[in-house]
Amino acid sequence: MFDYHMHSIISFDGHNTGLEMALAARDAGMKEICFTDHMDYTPEMDMVFDPEKYSAEYDHLEVPGLLIRKGMEYGLALNNQQQFKKDLQRRNYDFILGSVHLVDGVDVYWEPYWHGKTQEEATRIQLEQTLKCVQRHTDYDVLAHLTFISKARGNPTNKLIRYDDYRELFDEILKELVRHDKGLELNTSGIDRCGGPLPTLDFFHRFKELGGKIVTVGSDAHTADRAGQYTYEMVKELKEIFGYVCTFENRQPIFHK
């Protein structure tokens, strides 16, 4: 099984070493993982990793029975395409997740973003930002946790967002992914926080209808106890829809039937 979204202490919010995360993933039954540490630029604080520390943590990391890939989770913004290109040139990666955590420099996860907004307004603004970002960016491989805002700490309900809730907007986002041959991630971190994966399986049925091909599964683990969490079950669900699930090597998808 595969976990293609994991964070170690190389991320600003990670809690365990790469070795601890890898061992936990193997013990959870994973055969292949990818570390996807954060690279997010904000007005107040750059939540980025040190490439030298990244290399020291992972380049010689080996765990018997576990294939370890190297990636990152890049924060897509409306004006950081050139910075993205510079960061990609610092080293070779197997896999790049693109994510949208910020709206106008404000992290949607925390309470300040939600002040003065209804839940519907806060959600729609973040999704509109996501659409603009996937229209402008082409350097990532897979869009991470499309309905991430469901699990935001500031979200008053943590209610799962379904495809039908914002059908037209979601269709535009998914069509952009298809147009640029990008993938869609099934992120398991919402299962015990919101009651389902992020996004839910209805998105993947629609993604396939629109011509989407690349799909990955990730736990979004920031602690060793969550490594590989729920990924086995979700890989099985994606295989029911697509007949396969993807991993990556040197930025190229591998389709596991």
Side-chain angles (χ1 to χ4, degrees):
M1 288 295 110
F2 317 112
D3 188 345
Y4 256 61
H5 192 153
M6 295 177 62
H7 302 272
S8 79
I9 54 174
I10 297 304
S11 287
F12 74 97
D13 54 357
H15 295 272
N16 291 94
T17 66
L19 177 59
E20 290 169 340
M21 296 295 292
L23 289 171
R26 184 196 63 181
D27 292 346
M30 299 301 103
K31 299 299 182 184
E32 183 173 341
I33 65 172
C34 186
F35 285 103
T36 53
D37 290 295
H38 286 294
M39 187 72 77
D40 256 304
Y41 293 91
T42 74
E44 291 89 19
M45 176 181 69
D46 288 342
M47 298 179 288
V48 301
F49 58 77
D50 182 328
E52 292 185 3
K53 292 182 179 178
Y54 181 104
S55 297
E57 190 74 19
Y58 300 134
D59 281 352
H60 302 290
L61 179 59
E62 294 183 2
V63 170
L66 184 69
L67 181 57
I68 300 172
R69 302 293 191 189
K70 304 173 188 70
M72 69 173 168
E73 180 181 3
Y74 206 91
L76 307 180
L78 301 183
N79 59 356
N80 68 344
Q81 293 93 322
Q82 294 306 311
Q83 182 63 52
F84 197 172
K85 293 183 184 299
K86 291 179 182 178
D87 289 326
L88 286 173
Q89 292 171 357
R90 293 180 179 179
R91 62 161 295 134
N92 292 326
Y93 295 97
D94 288 303
F95 179 59
I96 306 295
L97 279 172
S99 59
V100 181
H101 297 124
L102 309 176
V103 173
D104 296 329
V106 180
D107 194 334
V108 304
Y109 188 79
W110 301 107
E111 287 83 355
Y113 170 75
W114 296 78
H115 291 169
K117 302 181 185 75
T118 66
Q119 186 173 19
E120 196 280 335
E121 288 171 340
T123 301
R124 180 171 292 279
I125 290 169
Q126 193 268 341
L127 293 176
E128 288 172 346
Q129 180 90 346
T130 299
L131 174 58
K132 293 176 183 177
C133 286
V134 298
Q135 287 172 334
R136 298 189 187 191
H137 281 272
T138 58
D139 287 325
Y140 68 101
D141 301 314
V142 170
L143 181 65
H145 48 49
L146 173 54
T147 54
F148 162 82
I149 199 168
S150 294
K151 71 171 185 177
R153 186 73 61 86
N155 189 324
T157 68
N158 293 127
K159 180 183 177 182
L160 273 176
I161 300 170
R162 301 289 183 177
Y163 165 74
D164 284 337
D165 294 339
Y166 301 89
R167 174 183 288 266
E168 292 183 2
L169 188 49
F170 282 132
D171 260 8
E172 289 303 309
I173 293 171
L174 296 179
K175 287 175 182 177
E176 284 297 320
L177 299 185
V178 173
R179 186 174 296 121
H180 297 292
D181 201 24
K182 303 303 179 185
L184 183 65
E185 178 200 50
L186 191 156
N187 187 296
T188 70
S189 67
I191 291 176
D192 59 3
R193 300 181 188 184
C194 311
L198 309 173
T200 47
L201 293 172
D202 46 352
F203 286 83
F204 292 91
H205 285 284
R206 181 57 175 157
F207 187 50
K208 183 181 180 182
E209 289 175 356
L210 292 170
K213 298 177 180 179
I214 298 171
V215 287
T216 62
V217 174
S219 67
D220 208 347
H222 289 68
T223 55
D225 62 309
R226 296 184 73 91
Q229 193 172 43
Y230 306 117
T231 58
Y232 181 81
E233 296 88 341
M234 292 298 104
V235 164
K236 289 177 65 177
E237 293 286 357
L238 282 189
K239 285 187 174 182
E240 286 293 320
I241 300 170
F242 286 86
Y244 57 81
V245 69
C246 298
T247 61
F248 275 74
E249 181 179 8
N250 294 324
R251 306 289 306 279
Q252 296 300 312
I254 301 169
F255 295 82
H256 298 268
K257 294 186 178 180

